[in-house]
Amino acid sequence: MTILDTNPVRLRELDELFGNQVTTVMSNPVSIHENVIDSDLVIGAVLIPGAKAPRLVRESTVQLMKAHSVIVDVAIDQGGIFETVDRVSTHDDPTYTKHDVVHYAVGNMPGAVPRTSTIGLSNVTIPYAAQIANDLEKALLHNVNLRKGLNTYRGQITYEAVATAHGSKYEPFAAV
Amino acid sequence: MRIGIPKEVKNNENRVAITPAGVSQLKSAGHDVHIETEAGVASGFSDQEYHVAGAVIEPTAADVWKMEMVMKVKEPVASEYDYFYEGLILFAYLHLAAEPELTSALVSKKVTAIAFETVESEKRTLPLLTPMSEVAGRMASQIGAQFLEKPKGGKGILLSGIPGVPRGKVTVIGGGVVGTNAARSQSVLEQM
């Protein structure tokens, strides 16, 4: 198995984590092309928070993959990283074929395993929920992590990227 | 505080915002949890389990949206905007940058909205998004292996190989939470 990433520090960590089980490769247009064309399975795993996924794999590269290879684009919720992924598929009809390559681009993949996902999500959200319910203002004042989560408050947009997206005024949280 | 948990309304959304274990955690912190009937069924949690954990089972969505705080999984859909009222605390995945109408409903109704996906730790990780990235990454390997089977449209190869037959070549683009978890479950598959 080969993992590509643009961050040399992360590549070093992955090398330490997986040892000889994986080959780590610096990601660039050349290394992506070379590795994708002779893979049986390619997994797209580039997610940039709050941004559209970069289109890293060209259609001309997918054309050179062997027939009946498989692409799984996990970045589909942000638009996907393969040029050949042009629509979101569903758990009921999960794949489509292009250039003889099977494309799996299901939106909201965790929805297929709701029990695992519900427990995993609840594990991390409940401690924050308890802080919010104990005292909202105090939690927002003292917990920087939680304050980053505040998007609207008292009729104001308190998250910059959301205000920018809608051409509205950004008002950072201030306790009243 | 009284916390309401509605059943998810989006198509194919089978998750729910709280487990019975979560209910008992909030109860012991001194809060009341009111959950819409059958909200957890698709995740395998019955009303009875929530009741035993200390939750009040409510017959309709309107009943749980009356609470001071509402926790859910996905962003509210248009039919739920009518439940908003001034001072309501909403804690859920919201993705407001892509949701102009929801954003304006939250602003005009003066809702306090806290989005799971923008809660951020000191190390710039996204702790409330991470578990779902882990799920998607680990699923990706198992899905990929499955679709390489001939009846599913694939090449007809067993990804792990067998003694004397090489395993399939896998490339993962991106070494973050998703890619690392894809690699982790891949190495498990290869040992099977």
Side-chain angles (χ1 to χ4, degrees), chain B:
Chain B
M1 185 177 276
R2 295 187 310 160
I3 302 167
I5 317 283
K7 185 171 159 65
E8 294 297 314
V9 294
K10 280 197 129 183
N11 242 351
N12 285 323
E13 183 49 74
N14 294 315
R15 292 173 291 179
V16 59
I18 199 165
T19 58
V23 171
S24 63
Q25 271 177 278
L26 290 177
K27 285 290 283 184
S28 58
H31 305 294
D32 287 328
V33 179
H34 293 246
I35 187 166
E36 186 180 348
T37 182
E38 304 212 323
V41 166
S43 289
F45 296 114
S46 66
D47 284 356
Q48 179 63 17
E49 287 174 89
Y50 286 105
H51 172 74
V52 169
V56 178
I57 314 299
E58 299 281 4
T60 69
D63 295 309
V64 299
W65 277 98
K66 280 183 211 144
M67 303 299 152
E68 295 147 281
M69 171 169 165
V70 167
M71 256 186 104
K72 64 192 301 308
V73 180
K74 297 295 273 186
E75 69 277 7
V77 299
S79 62
E80 292 173 305
Y81 300 174
D82 289 339
Y83 297 127
F84 296 170
Y85 63 88
E86 183 170 349
L88 168 70
I89 303 170
L90 176 63
F91 191 37
Y93 286 121
L94 295 172
H95 301 289
L96 293 185
E99 293 276 348
E101 280 153 27
L102 174 57
T103 306
S104 80
L106 293 169
V107 167
S108 66
K109 298 275 188 75
K110 299 190 169 157
V111 173
T112 296
I114 302 171
F116 290 168
E117 75 278 3
T118 68
V119 171
E120 189 179 313
S121 78
E122 297 81 0
K123 294 179 204 145
R124 302 196 47 95
T125 64
L126 303 168
L128 305 190
L129 209 50
T130 298
M132 294 306 103
S133 300
E134 290 167 339
V135 168
R138 291 185 184 208
M139 266 183 79
S141 293
Q142 112 183 18
I143 295 274
Q146 189 190 331
F147 282 97
L148 278 168
E149 294 168 10
K150 195 74 188 167
K152 296 278 193 176
K155 275 180 174 171
I157 62 168
L158 181 63
L159 201 51
S160 64
I162 58 166
V165 183
R167 59 176 62 112
K169 178 174 163 63
V170 181
T171 294
V172 179
I173 303 172
V177 178
V178 173
T180 305
N181 279 276
R184 184 172 287 276
S185 69
Q186 193 64 55
S187 60
V188 171
L189 287 173
E190 283 177 1
Q191 281 154 20
M192 288 194 318

Side-chain angles (χ1 to χ4, degrees), chain A residues 15-87:
Chain A
D15 182 84
E16 282 166 16
L17 189 60
F18 292 109
N20 289 334
Q21 286 185 311
V22 305
T23 304
T24 56
V25 174
M26 177 55 71
S27 182
N28 56 53
V30 174
S31 64
I32 287 175
H33 178 80
E34 284 174 350
N35 281 282
V36 168
I37 58 173
D38 67 346
S39 287
D40 301 301
L41 168 62
V42 183
I43 295 172
V46 176
L47 292 159
I48 301 169
K52 211 169 171 336
R55 292 267 158 151
L56 297 174
V57 183
R58 310 295 303 268
E59 178 150 18
S60 54
T61 300
V62 174
Q63 271 170 344
L64 292 174
M65 290 176 73
K66 277 167 270 174
H68 310 296
S69 301
V70 176
I71 284 171
V72 176
D73 199 348
V74 184
I76 186 61
D77 290 322
Q78 262 104 52
I81 67 158
F82 296 82
E83 278 186 354
T84 46
V85 166
D86 56 9
R87 65 179 193 273

